[in-house]
Amino acid sequence: MAGAGRVWRVGALLLPPAWRLRAPGRTFGAAAGRGGSSGGGRLVLGAAFALGGTAGLCLAARQRLREHSAAELPAGSLQLTLYQYKTCPFCSKVRAFLDYHGLPYEIVEVNPIMRKEIKFSSYRKVPILLANAGSPLQLNDSSVIISAIKTYLVSRRNSLEEIVSFYPPVKTVTEKGKEVVEYENKYWLMLDEKETKRVYPVKEVRVEEMKWRKWADDWLVHLISPNVYRTPKEALASFDYIVREGKFGTLEGLFAKYVGAVAMFFVSKRLKKRHQLRDDVREDLYEAVNEWVKAVGKNRQFMGGNQPNLADLAVYGVLRVMEGLEAFDDMMAHTSIQPWYQRMEEVIEKTGVAI
């Protein structure tokens, strides 16, 4: 970020990951939780926009990337701006996808309290991707963003606007009477038969990719917050990181750090009950991660074979938001994920851009 004395690669720091740098017992933090009330409660819950769904650091900053040529797309033909919370797993998924495909984009970090950066939008969640391939277009929902842009990269038969129309928003009402918006077809790439054969040589490859992309959204994401806020110590470490990296005054920072940590510790317990997790939520995380490793198998570098597919990028994007946290270190130590994770880091870094 300009003037911050930091060197960023889009999606990750240009440093060895925290789990390889940390001394024993040292813990960094990240945000988790969601809410929105007035006064102090708004500050705390805004600062805690969840790692497990719509999380974020309160960093009202922009990161502009140097443009570079992508293998699949002529440089400058697609202008992209990503509105995000840096620690949001859904935003991290989109960054992983854009980074891997070598697409230049600008990041606008959204203030999770005021969200003034997205006041132009009636859609009040992140990520939001503004894309201009001849005319400006807003894309919502991480999986829609990924599917639509991937379709555009593979098939140039339709405009991006036409492609996005294949993913219509549908309003539904939950059992509790809450209105939610879902997107149809969001795990599908809208390709013709010839294009489909090129991307998915056999039907099973496409089915597998869609299955695990959905798994990342419907299950893996929901394991993040309960693990990040598992104990008071971990919750405090998370908020310590938010306050140090965010734009808080001294009193605001102290309030957010200590009151927020307590609040989110109890929120994590409700999330554990909602998703029917075990008493030790680490066990659910370990089981999920090992399930993924087993699905990739011993004979493939990635689920996509020699290169990551959209499922690889989704899982990596979700897990990456825990880097620097005790939960991430535990996952690396107690599961078989490390070799695959390191390969993902390496392949994405090859197309990453430093600013």
Side-chain angles (χ1 to χ4, degrees):
M1 283 181 279
R6 299 180 184 129
V7 179
W8 290 84
R9 180 178 66 76
V10 176
L13 285 169
L14 280 172
L15 292 169
W19 54 274
R20 287 203 283 267
L21 289 174
R22 284 179 48 195
R26 184 181 177 190
T27 306
F28 296 92
R34 179 178 181 176
S37 58
S38 61
R42 183 178 184 181
L43 170 65
V44 170
L45 295 176
F49 267 70
L51 263 170
T54 51
L57 302 176
C58 183
L59 302 174
R62 292 185 174 213
Q63 302 175 37
R64 184 175 295 277
L65 309 182
R66 294 197 306 255
E67 290 194 357
H68 60 99
S69 296
E72 295 173 286
L73 192 66
S77 64
L78 185 62
Q79 298 175 340
L80 303 173
T81 302
L82 177 65
Y83 291 78
Q84 67 155 22
Y85 305 136
K86 186 175 182 291
T87 57
C88 163
F90 296 109
C91 300
S92 181
K93 278 171 48 187
V94 174
R95 292 198 311 271
F97 168 80
L98 296 175
D99 290 345
Y100 174 70
H101 288 87
L103 296 175
Y105 61 102
E106 178 182 351
I107 286 178
V108 177
E109 195 70 30
V110 176
N111 184 306
I113 301 170
M114 302 303 297
R115 291 183 287 177
K116 63 182 180 180
E117 294 82 2
I118 56 173
K119 65 181 180 180
F120 62 85
S121 174
S122 60
Y123 183 81
R124 303 300 291 167
K125 299 179 181 180
V126 292
I128 292 173
L129 185 72
L130 297 188
N132 193 330
S135 59
L137 185 66
Q138 178 176 325
L139 286 75
N140 306 324
D141 185 274
S142 62
S143 291
V144 171
I145 291 169
I146 290 169
S147 293
I149 299 296
K150 181 66 174 182
T151 298
Y152 183 75
L153 295 177
V154 174
S155 173
R156 304 306 291 271
R157 293 177 297 105
N158 297 315
S159 68
L160 183 56
E161 186 172 5
E162 289 171 319
I163 291 169
V164 172
S165 72
F166 298 146
Y167 304 96
V170 177
K171 291 184 179 180
T172 60
V173 179
T174 66
E175 294 179 356
K176 296 183 178 180
K178 181 181 179 181
E179 188 178 86
V180 296
V181 176
E182 290 292 342
Y183 291 84
E184 294 186 348
N185 312 316
K186 66 181 180 179
Y187 300 111
W188 283 86
L189 302 189
M190 300 305 172
L191 308 173
D192 64 20
E193 186 175 351
K194 183 178 180 180
E195 294 160 349
T196 299
K197 284 289 186 181
R198 179 154 58 94
V199 178
Y200 305 109
V202 295
K203 178 182 177 181
E204 289 74 16
V205 173
R206 185 177 199 169
V207 171
E208 181 183 52
E209 180 185 80
M210 292 173 64
K211 170 188 173 182
W212 289 96
R213 288 181 68 192
K214 189 173 188 301
W215 175 85
D217 286 352
D218 293 349
W219 179 242
L220 186 61
V221 157
H222 297 302
L223 300 178
I224 304 299
S225 287
N227 274 278
V228 167
Y229 294 109
R230 184 183 61 151
T231 66
K233 176 185 174 183
E234 289 177 89
L236 186 61
S238 295
F239 271 84
D240 179 65
Y241 185 63
I242 296 169
V243 170
R244 283 189 288 110
E245 295 294 321
K247 301 183 86 173
F248 293 95
T250 302
L251 294 178
E252 288 177 330
L254 288 172
F255 186 84
K257 177 179 176 179
Y258 292 102
V259 178
V262 172
M264 293 314 302
F265 169 71
F266 288 105
V267 167
S268 73
K269 303 310 173 187
R270 293 204 300 269
L271 293 173
K272 181 173 75 172
K273 182 178 180 180
R274 178 189 302 171
H275 298 296
Q276 299 180 331
L277 304 181
R278 301 171 196 176
D279 287 340
D280 184 357
V281 293
R282 284 287 199 275
E283 295 300 320
D284 293 286
L285 178 63
Y286 299 159
E287 182 177 86
V289 166
N290 282 328
E291 184 182 2
W292 164 254
V293 173
K294 182 178 179 181
V296 172
K298 296 180 179 180
N299 299 320
R300 296 187 290 184
Q301 287 188 308
F302 308 99
M303 182 165 281
N306 293 328
Q307 291 293 322
N309 66 10
L310 299 183
D312 287 292
L313 294 169
V315 173
Y316 173 74
V318 171
L319 295 178
R320 179 171 61 178
V321 299
M322 293 192 298
E323 282 193 14
L325 295 169
E326 185 177 326
F328 186 86
D329 288 350
D330 288 348
M331 177 184 72
M332 286 293 174
H334 297 288
T335 73
S336 305
I337 194 71
Q338 185 170 327
W340 171 86
Y341 195 91
Q342 287 179 317
R343 290 193 294 270
M344 287 297 301
E345 285 184 317
E346 290 166 3
V347 75
I348 289 178
E349 283 174 3
K350 289 179 181 178
T351 53
V353 179
I355 59 171

